[in-house]
């Protein structure tokens, strides 16, 4: 029996208990299946009763997510999930409120709500399924579609500069920013657990393959022969090493103070010259640098870019309420009606 | 004997049934404050009253400019006072600009009390006067009292060590003192209240303003030129009273509703004139476990309410026209989810930014119809500032009982104007029964109460009731996604029937006066006061006219059609281009006569009276 389970008289929850029984309607081969499987695997390990979980989503393929989990769930309107989840978390801080969203949902129509949830540091766990395409409306450009990507709405190639969700989140002072990929279930599971344990807003970007409209968008990251060279798997306190032989690394160029890839052993470069990952750094500078790394010049960082502590919004709200009640007494109908300047008419 | 002689030397004050006074000055002249103080003193002495401030949209327009003039009007009386008054009988102006902006509204032969010091060449120039109206004879038709309020303040505050600017700021209290004497108000409570107001911040300013007040009072006492009036107490229902604006009453009503329902109040709100004060008021009520949350936009305001409501809070949001437009999509989701939610739309002049600080009633059809698809919800409207309290409780009652979003319409006029409100005893208020579902046995998210057709409220955290709902069409019982065509039609029908059925649970339309006859004046919302005054006067003059007022606009009270058909003609005065008239024709096939005023100001008693007269011509 798990020692973290608060209901010791009951057997611990299993993955099965988090399956809703509703038939899953994603396309065969969709990357979202992997995320669902890892979430169903992670939730029972958290020692939280099932009825305390609420999954809120917007619109899009990924936003069907709540239907497939046997928890409380709200499938809402396009882009608004962070706002809806905020209202719920403020009034019910004891609930575990998760948000399932996509690149169009979170970054296009819902960009405003996302940045404000992040800056406030509301205790929401946000999984951003990034497939760099609008799937549900059948193949238009999304805010993360890459330059030149041919889509139904940009048949001659996308000319809109893609957004980096992680840079955006860091710009909004997010306290937890991480990235994983659907086809690395172990890594994804680890990241989900980190998300679950974070206090404040946690944003996890999941590179997710859309088999129908943007297949193999992340293919290079996963190809057996090249993945070691293309993934930079971040670990707190460890030097930023990558490559098949773990012979490549990342450092700041002493001349331009910009990141550069170096070969260990060449020009006398040793591991000591490499950047050491610090997800807890107060300054978001290092995380910003990592969020900006894109192929082909750089490997793609996976893992936790930033995990820092800041007052959690709903806790501040409830602490202020506690103080108000302590100093003024708990408000009642009588005290409400009796307040203010009044006079008697006889 | 001696005593009588002394009294004879002083003119006895003239008795008045009621008076309407308007204060006007630069935004920084403190006119709102002195207006409200005179209102409070009148209430203390037993008058009935109503007040209305008038602000420019600009926060600090250039001093002395016409666009920077702000005003405050009040009517108090020895009888029931329904409105802040049409045209003032007395105009108190601090500057030429204030005179120019307001003179057109003053009644013929009305009184002008002007701050003569304020009529400098520069100020006259800014207001566009080529000569001084106080001396050039152009005000010959009025009773003009030009008084050096600034000089009086300077003399009274001499030796206090205040800067010139600070002394000048006290002249509004000189004006207040003057009016206290003119209208026979006891000065002592006001002096105490002035000192108390500044006691914490700066007692010196308290002393200065008290002296300025006294100087004005004494000036009026000693001068022979200023008339003196007495407005006897009105017959008012006994009880404890306080002043409330519509916005204050709305905030109080929402909080009271949460107490009555035993729920936490959550307000998601984005600032917008003239609704913002509701957020301000609720932000102060943390000890009542109110969470007043300023969102990033109106979309988040309404959708965060949906989240809070899903979690079991009494959720509410407040806005005005443009914000309501942004909330439209969220409201449709709330209709689909069948979650309780109260939206207060404080209507203002539109469309678009329109006249953001001015009143209008033009969101009625938008409130009733303004959502995509078949998306019905109840629409209510408050009739007076104090009625906002009752109607927010009523809106909450309907939202909670029927599991539905409810729209409550108020407007800029109700929001800002104040009237004495008899504070109800807690026992007089309705209990709002809320039963959260806890029993998993036989639970289905859309299995309805057979009577109200409300679905169960099952909130997260309840073991065994885990369920998923969303904006997609749902199965009639289980709430699971359903694309079945017949099921969809059934759901559309049941959502409509649930809202229509509320007609059986609201008060029938009541007629004041004879229940049938020649003419019925039918109003909704803030036109109530003006209609009461106009109809009251017409009836007192022997005219056969009745009155009714709608507080529920969707659904309409069951007897509305029947009431309307008992009159030969129905007059509907509105602050829009005839929206209630259209709604009534659509719902009841009853034709009405409109009195449509779209000038972004409250209807005047005189306008309605004239129309009644016209319609009663043989």
């Amino acid at each position: 029996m798990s020692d973290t389970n608060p209901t010791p008289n009951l057997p611990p929850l299993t993955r099965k208990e988090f399956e809703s029984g509703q038939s899953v309607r994603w396309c065969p081969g969709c990357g979202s299946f992997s995320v669902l499987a890892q979430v169903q695997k992670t939730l029972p390990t958290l020692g939280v009763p099932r009825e305390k979980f609420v999954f809120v989503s917007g619109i899009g393929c990924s936003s069907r997510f709540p239907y497939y989990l046997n928890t409380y769930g709200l499938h809402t309107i396009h882009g608004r999930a962070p706002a809806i989840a905020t209202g719920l978390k403020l009034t019910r801080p004891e609930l575990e409120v998760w948000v399932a969203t996509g690149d169009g949902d979170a970054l296009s129509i819902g960009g405003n709500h996302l940045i404000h949830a992040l800056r406030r540091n509301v205790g929401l766990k946000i999984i951003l399924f990034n497939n760099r395409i609008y799937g549900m409306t059948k193949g238009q450009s999304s805010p993360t579609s890459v330059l030149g990507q041919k889509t139904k709405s940009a048949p001659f190639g996308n000319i809109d500069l893609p957004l980096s969700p992680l840079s955006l989140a860091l710009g909004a002072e997010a306290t937890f920013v991480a990235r994983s990929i659907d086809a690395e279930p172990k890594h994804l599971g680890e990241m989900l657990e980190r998300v679950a344990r974070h206090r404040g807003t946690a944003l996890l970007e999941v590179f997710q393959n859309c088999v129908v409209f943007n297949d193999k968008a992340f293919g290079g990251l996963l190809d057996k022969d090249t993945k070691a060279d293309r993934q930079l798997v971040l670990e707190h306190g460890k030097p930023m090493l990558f490559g098949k032989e773990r012979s490549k690394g990342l450092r700041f160029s002493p001349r331009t103070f910009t990141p550069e890839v170096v070969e260990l052993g060449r020009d006398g470069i040793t591991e000591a010259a490499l950047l050491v990952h610090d997800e807890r750094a107060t300054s978001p500078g290092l995380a910003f640098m990592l969020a900006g790394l894109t192929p082909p010049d750089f490997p793609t960082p996976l893992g936790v870019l930033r995990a820092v502590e800041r007052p959690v919004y709903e806790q501040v709200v409830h602490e202020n309420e506690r103080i108000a009640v302590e100093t003024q007494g708990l408000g009642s109908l009588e005290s409400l009606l009796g307040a203010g300047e009044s006079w008697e008419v006889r | 004997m001696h005593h009588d002689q002394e009294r004879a030397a002083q003119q006895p004050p003239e008795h008045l049934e009621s008076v309407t006074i308007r204060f006007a000055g630069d935004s920084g002249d403190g006119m709102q404050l002195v207006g409200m103080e005179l209102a409070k003193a009148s209430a203390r002495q037993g008058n009935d009253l109503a007040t209305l401030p008038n602000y420019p949209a600009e926060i600090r327009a250039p001093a002395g400019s016409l666009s920077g003039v702000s005003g405050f009007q009040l009517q108090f009386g020895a009888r029931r006072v329904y409105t802040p008054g049409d045209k003032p009988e007395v105009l108190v102006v601090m500057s030429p600009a204030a005179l120019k902006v307001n003179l057109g509204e003053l009644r013929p032969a009305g009184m002008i009390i002007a701050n003569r010091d304020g009529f400098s060449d520069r100020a006259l120039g800014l207001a566009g006067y080529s000569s001084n109206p106080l001396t050039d004879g152009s005000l010959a038709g009025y009773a003009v009292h030009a008084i050096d309020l600034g000089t009086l303040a300077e003399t009274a505050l001499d030796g206090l060590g205040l800067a010139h600017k600070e002394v000048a700021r006290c002249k509004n209290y000189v004006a207040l003192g003057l009016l206290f004497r003119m209208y026979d108000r006891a000065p002592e409570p006001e002096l105490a209240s002035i000192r108390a107001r500044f006691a914490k911040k700066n007692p010196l300013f308290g002393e200065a303003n008290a002296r300025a007040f006294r100087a004005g009072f004494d000036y009026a006492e000693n001068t022979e030129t200023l008339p003196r009036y007495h407005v006897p107490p009105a017959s008012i229902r006994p009880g404890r009273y306080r002043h409330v604006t519509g916005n204050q009453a709305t905030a109080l009503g929402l909080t009271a509703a949460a107490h009555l329902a035993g729920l936490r109040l959550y307000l998601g709100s984005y600032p917008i004139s003239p609704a913002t004060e509701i957020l301000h008021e609720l932000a102060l009520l943390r000890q009542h476990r109110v969470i007043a949350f300023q969102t990033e936009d109106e979309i988040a305001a309404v959708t965060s309410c949906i989240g809070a409501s899903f979690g079991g809070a009494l959720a509410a949001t407040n806005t005005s026209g443009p914000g309501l437009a942004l909330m439209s999509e969220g409201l449709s989701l709330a209709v689909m989810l069948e979650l309780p939610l109260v939206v207060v739309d404080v209507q203002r002049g539109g469309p678009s930014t329109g006249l953001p600080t001015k009143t209008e009633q033009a969101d009625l059809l938008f409130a009733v119809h303004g959502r995509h698809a078949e998306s019905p919800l109840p629409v209510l409207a408050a009739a007076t500032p104090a009625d906002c309290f009752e109607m927010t409780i009523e809106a909450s009652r309907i939202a909670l009982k029927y599991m539905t979003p409810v729209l409550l319409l108020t407007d800029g006029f109700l929001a800002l104007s104040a009237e004495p409100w008899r504070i109800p005893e807690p026992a007089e208020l309705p209990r709002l029964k809320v039963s959260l579902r806890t029993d998993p046995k036989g639970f289905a998210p859309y299995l309805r109460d057979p009577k109200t057709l409300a679905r169960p409220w099952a909130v997260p955290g309840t073991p065994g009731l885990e369920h998923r709902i969303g904006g997609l069409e749902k199965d009639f019982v289980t709430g699971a996604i359903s694309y079945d065509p017949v099921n969809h039609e059934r759901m559309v029908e049941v959502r409509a029937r649930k809202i229509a059925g509320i007609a059986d649970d609201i008060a029938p339309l009541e007629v004041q006066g004879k229940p049938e006859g020649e003419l019925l004046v039918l109003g909704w919302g803030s036109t109530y006061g003006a209609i009461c005054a106009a109809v009251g006067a017409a009836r007192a003059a022997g005219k056969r006219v009745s009155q009714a007022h709608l507080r529920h606009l969707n659904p309409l009270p069951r007897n509305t059609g029947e009431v309307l058909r008992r009159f030969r003609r129905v007059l509907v005065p509105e602050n829009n281009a005839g929206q209630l008239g259209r709604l009534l024709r659509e719902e009841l096939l009853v034709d009405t006569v409109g009195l449509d005023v779209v000038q972004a100001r409250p209807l005047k008693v005189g306008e309605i009276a004239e129309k009644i007269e016209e319609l009663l011509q043989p």
Side-chain angles (χ1 to χ4, degrees), chain B residues 216-282:
Chain B
F217 192 91
D218 291 346
Y219 178 88
E221 172 89 26
N222 297 324
T223 183
E224 307 227 322
T225 55
L226 277 175
R228 299 240 299 277
Y229 303 102
H230 180 71
V231 182
S235 154
I236 295 172
R237 185 177 169 187
R240 186 128 210 101
Y241 282 77
R242 60 172 285 191
H243 288 280
V244 281
T245 63
N247 276 344
Q248 288 167 341
T250 301
L252 282 166
L254 287 171
T255 313
H259 280 302
L260 291 164
L263 299 174
R264 170 188 286 287
L265 177 65
Y266 171 83
L267 181 85
S269 179
Y270 188 75
I272 184 168
S273 298
T276 316
E277 202 192 358
I278 297 168
L279 167 63
H280 299 175
E281 294 285 329
L282 289 173

Side-chain angles (χ1 to χ4, degrees), chain B residues 3 8 11 88 168 304 315 441 493 505 542 566 611:
Chain B
H3 194 67
Q11 284 279 333
S304 68
K441 215 174 131 203
E493 187 274 331
D505 191 21
R566 288 200 302 255
K611 192 77 186 173

